[in-house]
Every structure is written in C-alpha cells, then in structure tokens.
Amino acid sequence: MNSLKHVAIIMDGNGRWATKQNKDRTVGHHYGSENVREIALEALDLGVEVVTLYAFSTENWKRPQKEIDYLMKLPAIFFKKFLKELNEKGIRIRTIGDLSKIPEKTRKVMENAVEETKNNTKLILNFALNYGSRDEIVRATNSLIQQGLTSVTEEDFNNALDTRDLPDVDLLIRTGGDKRLSNYLLWQLAYAELVFVDMEWPRFGREDFNKCIEDFNQRQRRFGGLV
Ligand code: V0D
C-alpha cells in the first residue's frame, strides 16, 4: 500500500528563523535538531523505511567558525537526549558523506551511535554530513577505478555510492522557501517527487510532514491512473 520507502529532507531556514526573532543563528540550529526527533517519530508512525537528512554540506565549511563549532556539537547533544529513545523505538542511525574531514570527537560520537543502533529495524535515520552529491560521485568513481574497473554499469555505480544499500529516494522535501537541490543526492533523486515548503525547518511540524506525504500519495495515484 505504501509506495513511500525513502524520504530525503533539506532542513533549510534554521538561521533565518532565529534571526527573525533576534536570536543567534545557533538557536535556530538547536530547535532544528529538536525537530529532527519530531519528524523521525512521525516517519516511524507512517511506516517510512528511510529518512535522509541534509545536516551539513560540503559547502557549509564557509560559514563563520563559531557556527561550525556549534553545528559539530549537535550530534553529541542530539544523542545525549535521544539515543535511549531511538533504541527503544527501533530507530537505526546511519550517515553518508565524507566523514574523514569531520572533527574526530564528532565522528566518534556518530560512529558510536551507528554501532549502538545497528540492530534496529523500524526506521533508518540517515544523516548526510560533509555531504555533497558531486563529491560523492567523484569518491564513488575513484573507488571503482581503485577496484580496477574500466567500464561500469548503473548497478556498479549504485554500489559505489554512500547510499549503496538504501532504496532510491521517493520524495524530497525542502523547507525554507528555496527551490533548489543544492548538490543533494543528485543520482538518487532521478525519479523522486519534489515538494518545496515555504516554512523554515524549526516550524515544520508532524502535520506539515504528513501533508507533504499526502501530496506525494496524490501524485502517485494520478500517475498510476495516467491522468
Ligand atoms: C543543524 C537542522 C541533528 C539543520 C537540524 C553536524 C542544521 C539541526 C544532527 C545530527 C544539525 C547529526 C548526526 C548525528 C546525529 C544528529 C545534526 C548537524 C546539524 C551537523 F549522527 N541535527 N543536526 N548535525 N542541525
């Protein structure tokens, strides 16, 4: 019944949301990370298999150092608060992106969470960190070359990507009002439905997530009926 396996989300608008209320941008990131929990729980209730969240892009290193420092603390803050609950509810943590450039402390925290949740089967919460689609494609290509391949199939290529064992993305949601892909999952979005929402990420609630999924289901039905 549910053709929706994989939802990808660009969680945009956190800094703008905070600035609007005369608060520091990091306050927006804080509320943004609380909202990750809300949306993960809703995805769990709806029977979605994978949610891939754009947490930190390869371009985000250009931001002020103070903001980067705060962002790199968020995984630890997040797990301190939610790891127990994630395990109780069967949520498995995964990551994609080039983690080799993430500060060691932050990387260790994430590796630990991936390890501690590896047997959970209800939902994969997949964080894209130091992720860029072109970077991923270049890393995949280099790994194929390293394996000695001189010609590849789509399947070979798929298997060299960070998302190798995940289903294709069915639905992309971008909050914050912009209508761009911003170097996110370009290969994986080949057949995805795209939904753009004007609301900033900290304001985007479970109801809003539901509406996006209704929109997706309606489009699928129309597509199924060839109308
Ligand atoms: C800030 C809105 C959770 C977007 C959400 C390091 C930008 C809050 C995590 C997180 C971020 C990452 C990995 C992990 C567990 C949690 C997170 C970053 C930014 C960048 F294993 N929220 N969050 N990571 N934001």
Side-chain angles (χ1 to χ4, degrees):
M1 184 209 109
N2 200 353
S3 56
L4 182 59
K5 290 188 177 174
H6 190 170
V7 181
I9 309 183
I10 303 178
M11 308 178 285
D12 201 12
N14 300 286
R16 206 178 325 127
W17 176 82
T19 307
K20 268 192 198 167
Q21 324 181 49
N22 277 317
K23 299 218 168 81
D24 197 83
R25 287 175 59 83
T26 55
V27 175
H29 297 318
H30 168 79
Y31 282 99
S33 76
E34 300 268 317
N35 200 37
V36 167
R37 172 183 175 270
E38 288 295 314
I39 299 306
L41 293 179
E42 188 62 23
L44 186 69
D45 282 353
L46 293 169
V48 174
E49 290 176 22
V50 187
V51 177
T52 298
L53 300 162
Y54 212 172
F56 195 86
S57 82
T58 49
E59 264 95 278
N60 285 159
W61 298 109
K62 293 177 198 149
R63 294 193 176 174
Q65 191 58 44
K66 178 180 161 273
E67 190 175 335
I68 294 174
D69 290 347
Y70 182 76
L71 288 168
M72 289 303 150
K73 287 184 196 149
L74 277 177
I77 295 171
F78 185 87
F79 289 132
K80 209 173 164 138
K81 268 192 258 176
F82 304 132
L83 191 55
K84 186 161 166 271
E85 185 182 17
L86 295 175
N87 268 328
E88 283 165 1
K89 299 205 158 122
I91 301 175
R92 180 178 182 183
I93 298 295
R94 300 273 306 266
T95 62
I96 57 170
D98 183 1
L99 293 194
S100 69
K101 292 176 187 100
I102 298 284
E104 189 179 343
K105 260 195 193 165
T106 308
R107 199 174 64 235
K108 285 270 154 66
V109 165
M110 294 189 306
E111 285 167 355
N112 180 52
V114 168
E115 176 65 23
E116 286 196 36
T117 60
K118 71 175 179 202
N119 295 321
N120 296 342
T121 58
K122 299 273 188 256
L123 169 73
I124 296 176
L125 196 56
N126 187 27
F127 288 96
L129 275 141
N130 191 30
Y131 178 87
S133 197
R134 290 184 175 182
D135 178 71
E136 179 192 31
I137 286 169
V138 170
R139 285 187 289 105
T141 306
N142 281 321
S143 107
L144 291 163
I145 292 169
Q146 199 101 58
Q147 292 165 46
L149 299 182
T150 51
S151 160
V152 298
T153 63
E154 284 191 15
E155 194 191 352
D156 293 330
F157 199 80
N158 226 346
N159 288 333
L161 292 169
D162 296 348
T163 50
R164 61 184 69 79
D165 42 5
L166 302 176
D168 256 1
V169 175
D170 303 298
L171 168 63
L172 169 81
I173 301 170
R174 180 178 187 140
T175 64
D178 287 338
K179 295 180 176 161
R180 293 194 293 266
L181 295 182
S182 300
N183 199 19
Y184 193 42
L185 301 169
L186 299 178
W187 170 280
Q188 296 86 344
L189 290 173
Y191 298 101
E193 296 285 348
L194 311 179
V195 175
F196 298 97
V197 184
D198 254 336
M199 216 175 287
E200 299 97 346
W201 173 253
R203 294 201 296 122
F204 180 79
R206 293 174 74 142
E207 294 268 301
D208 305 302
F209 184 62
N210 254 301
K211 276 192 202 132
C212 293
I213 290 178
E214 261 171 46
D215 190 351
F216 170 86
N217 286 332
Q218 214 148 46
R219 291 191 207 179
Q220 291 300 105
R221 274 198 290 276
R222 223 171 301 150
F223 181 61
L226 299 177
V227 186

